[in-house]
Amino acid sequence: MKFGVLGKSLPHSYSPRIHKEFADYDYTILERNEEEVKAIFEGKEKLDGFNVTIPYKKLAKELCSELSPEAEEIGAVNTVIALKDGTFKGFNTDVYGFVYMLRHAEIEVKGKHCLILGTGGASAAVKYALGQLGAASINHCSRTGEINYGNVYAVAKASEIIVNTTPVGMYPDVDINPIDLSEFPKLYAAADVIYNPSRTRFLEQAEKLGVRHAGGLIMLVAQAYKACIVFRGGDFSLESTGDKENQLIEKVTQLLEAEMRNITLVGMPGSGKSTIGKRISEALNRNLIDLDDEFFNEYGQKPADIISNKGEAVFREMETDLAKKILPKSGLVISTGGGIVTKKENFFYLRTNSKVIYIKRPLETLKKQNVSNRPLSSSIGVEKLYEQRAKLYEAVSDEIWNLPDYTAGDALISSFIKNLKEK
């Protein structure tokens, strides 16, 4: 049996990777122009079914001879199966993916006032799902709609659940937040269908506000799982079939997240981040980026030279510009400079698409290091830098690797790396 994902441009699609975890059928990338899409529906390519992504979801709906109820109402199709007569039936499993995402985050929709950002294909699936879950009201906000970004804070102030279905905040433009969530006093939850990066500005603000929140990766995996069920002749339903289904979706989500997220190391100068980063990159077969080396590649000068000649403030601005460029990427091992945590704005870049590990060494061990090539350590002193930064490293990190001196810690590093590989 042959399946695939159909779209106009799919250089970074995760669909083949996800479907490989769910089934053993042949699943391929189908990059086609509009005329070629029509040819597929005319039976000129032998396919048993396929997923549909941007920009062909509405076109696929028009080309299917039969539609499931949710696809008919939404007006868009993301999953298609071939029928015995050579025509095709369309479904919209995005609905299930979104419902699953909300349930996983324990976001209760019934009786809540909901606001959807965007009016594209994804927003239609989200609206249908929210309606099925019993939302009290559903409004749309767009640039030119009746509710827009100029009047939304007044007109939709009572919104309790806000869902971003726009591409605003998606990699590589990660610095943009589509809306200011703090302007909604009754806000209960926020959901973002974007899955790259894993933590958008939208979700970062939701987390800071202390409201329930959910990102789009688990939605992507859950809709793919339901598509797999449809491909294999099963029935489409918004309901989960039970614990086995939930465990499989969560397992694949965790697997994909581990592959996508960077392993980013923070810690004091001399803590061994570069050496440890090299060992991790070799063990996980990932590319290693040392931000100090990358700084030289980008600017043609070493960090120490900038600090000595132009001052630390100038260096920190340049370092942040580099962090914006490098840290939101995926699947890397990244060793950072010791002072990257001293600018709070870097916390977002460090956490936007990374598992952050703090390489923690005892102060007495760090004080034994030669600091002649480190202007800040020389002028301020290792002890003072440690006092300024230790709590910041802990605040930004997902894990702390407590390592003693540089020889006795070797077995611990090996153990930590083994755990990373197993995850």
Side-chain angles (χ1 to χ4, degrees), residues 258 261-265 280 284 286 331-335 353-357 420:
R261 292 177 76 189
N262 304 312
I263 304 293
T264 297
L265 308 180
I280 294 173
L284 301 182
R286 292 189 181 200
L332 302 169
V333 177
I334 302 173
S335 171
N353 227 17
S354 291
K355 181 185 185 71
V356 182
I357 299 173
L420 282 176

Side-chain angles (χ1 to χ4, degrees), residues 70 73-74 92 94-95 98-99 102 109 114-135 137-140 163 165 193 219 238:
E70 86 290 335
E73 184 169 336
I74 292 166
N92 194 305
D94 284 337
V95 177
F98 181 69
V99 169
L102 295 182
V109 173
C114 301
L115 177 66
I116 301 172
L117 308 182
T119 55
S123 73
V126 167
K127 180 182 179 181
Y128 180 89
L130 292 173
Q132 292 293 305
L133 294 173
S137 66
I138 305 170
N139 288 312
H140 286 269
V163 184
T165 68
V193 303
M219 175 180 171
L238 291 182

Side-chain angles (χ1 to χ4, degrees), residues 54 116-120 122 141-143 149 153 162-181 191-205 214-216 348 352:
I54 298 172
I116 301 172
L117 308 182
T119 55
C141 176
S142 65
R143 286 173 294 180
Y149 295 100
Y153 302 118
I162 300 179
V163 184
N164 178 38
T165 68
T166 77
V168 177
M170 184 184 295
Y171 178 82
D173 299 317
V174 301
D175 243 340
I176 313 170
N177 189 352
I179 203 164
D180 184 357
L181 295 174
D192 198 334
V193 303
I194 291 172
Y195 57 86
N196 186 21
S198 60
R199 185 184 283 103
T200 59
R201 284 287 189 190
F202 180 82
L203 292 178
E204 179 199 38
Q205 189 180 27
F348 171 70
T352 189

Side-chain angles (χ1 to χ4, degrees), residues 63-77:
L63 296 174
C64 284
S65 64
E66 188 177 338
L67 296 169
S68 62
E70 86 290 335
E72 180 76 64
E73 184 169 336
I74 292 166
V77 159

Side-chain angles (χ1 to χ4, degrees), residues 78-373:
N78 82 317
T79 299
V80 174
I81 58 170
L83 302 175
K84 290 181 179 179
D85 63 1
T87 61
F88 294 88
K89 180 177 180 178
F91 302 80
N92 194 305
T93 63
D94 284 337
V95 177
Y96 175 77
F98 181 69
V99 169
Y100 191 96
M101 177 173 77
L102 295 182
R103 287 175 178 161
H104 183 262
E106 298 182 343
I107 295 172
E108 177 59 54
V109 173
K110 189 173 182 180
K112 300 288 194 307
H113 297 287
C114 301
L115 177 66
I116 301 172
L117 308 182
T119 55
S123 73
V126 167
K127 180 182 179 181
Y128 180 89
L130 292 173
Q132 292 293 305
L133 294 173
S137 66
I138 305 170
N139 288 312
H140 286 269
C141 176
S142 65
R143 286 173 294 180
T144 58
E146 183 177 340
I147 299 177
N148 53 65
Y149 295 100
N151 65 15
V152 65
Y153 302 118
V155 178
K157 200 174 188 68
S159 299
E160 296 166 278
I161 298 175
I162 300 179
V163 184
N164 178 38
T165 68
T166 77
V168 177
M170 184 184 295
Y171 178 82
D173 299 317
V174 301
D175 243 340
I176 313 170
N177 189 352
I179 203 164
D180 184 357
L181 295 174
S182 68
E183 292 290 330
F184 299 90
K186 296 183 179 180
L187 187 66
Y188 154 75
D192 198 334
V193 303
I194 291 172
Y195 57 86
N196 186 21
S198 60
R199 185 184 283 103
T200 59
R201 284 287 189 190
F202 180 82
L203 292 178
E204 179 199 38
Q205 189 180 27
E207 186 176 3
K208 286 180 177 178
L209 291 171
V211 301
R212 295 177 186 271
H213 53 281
L217 184 60
I218 201 163
M219 175 180 171
L220 177 72
V221 175
Q223 67 80 24
Y225 176 82
K226 193 61 73 168
C228 175
I229 296 297
V230 171
F231 287 160
R232 297 159 90 177
D235 293 328
F236 175 78
S237 168
L238 291 182
E239 299 302 319
S240 168
T241 59
D243 288 343
K244 186 176 180 181
E245 176 175 313
N246 297 338
Q247 289 167 6
L248 182 55
I249 290 172
E250 291 181 29
K251 176 186 173 184
V252 175
T253 302
Q254 290 167 5
L255 179 68
L256 196 62
E257 185 176 53
E259 292 178 2
M260 291 171 64
R261 292 177 76 189
N262 304 312
I263 304 293
T264 297
L265 308 180
V266 299
M268 283 286 289
S271 60
K273 299 185 296 293
S274 297
T275 302
I276 294 170
K278 184 178 180 181
R279 289 180 61 177
I280 294 173
S281 71
E282 291 172 351
L284 301 182
N285 193 29
R286 292 189 181 200
N287 291 330
L288 170 67
I289 291 183
D290 187 307
L291 286 189
D292 283 347
D293 293 340
E294 201 65 25
F295 188 95
F296 181 81
N297 294 336
E298 183 80 6
Y299 301 114
Q301 297 182 72
K302 294 181 179 179
D305 295 332
I306 297 292
I307 293 170
S308 298
N309 298 326
K310 297 184 178 181
E312 183 184 1
V314 171
F315 165 69
R316 293 295 171 214
E317 289 298 324
M318 297 169 72
E319 181 183 49
T320 294
D321 287 341
L322 185 63
K324 291 179 185 180
K325 182 178 179 180
I326 301 297
L327 287 167
K329 293 184 178 183
S330 298
L332 302 169
V333 177
I334 302 173
S335 171
T336 65
I340 196 168
V341 294
T342 60
K343 285 194 70 173
K344 273 299 183 74
E345 66 185 280
N346 290 336
F347 274 46
F348 171 70
Y349 305 117
L350 286 164
R351 294 180 60 79
T352 189
N353 227 17
S354 291
K355 181 185 185 71
V356 182
I357 299 173
Y358 170 25
I359 305 301
K360 185 175 182 180
R361 301 278 189 183
L363 178 58
E364 292 307 312
T365 300
L366 294 168
K367 287 167 69 174
K368 295 174 184 178
Q369 291 294 297
N370 180 3
V371 298
S372 60
N373 64 337

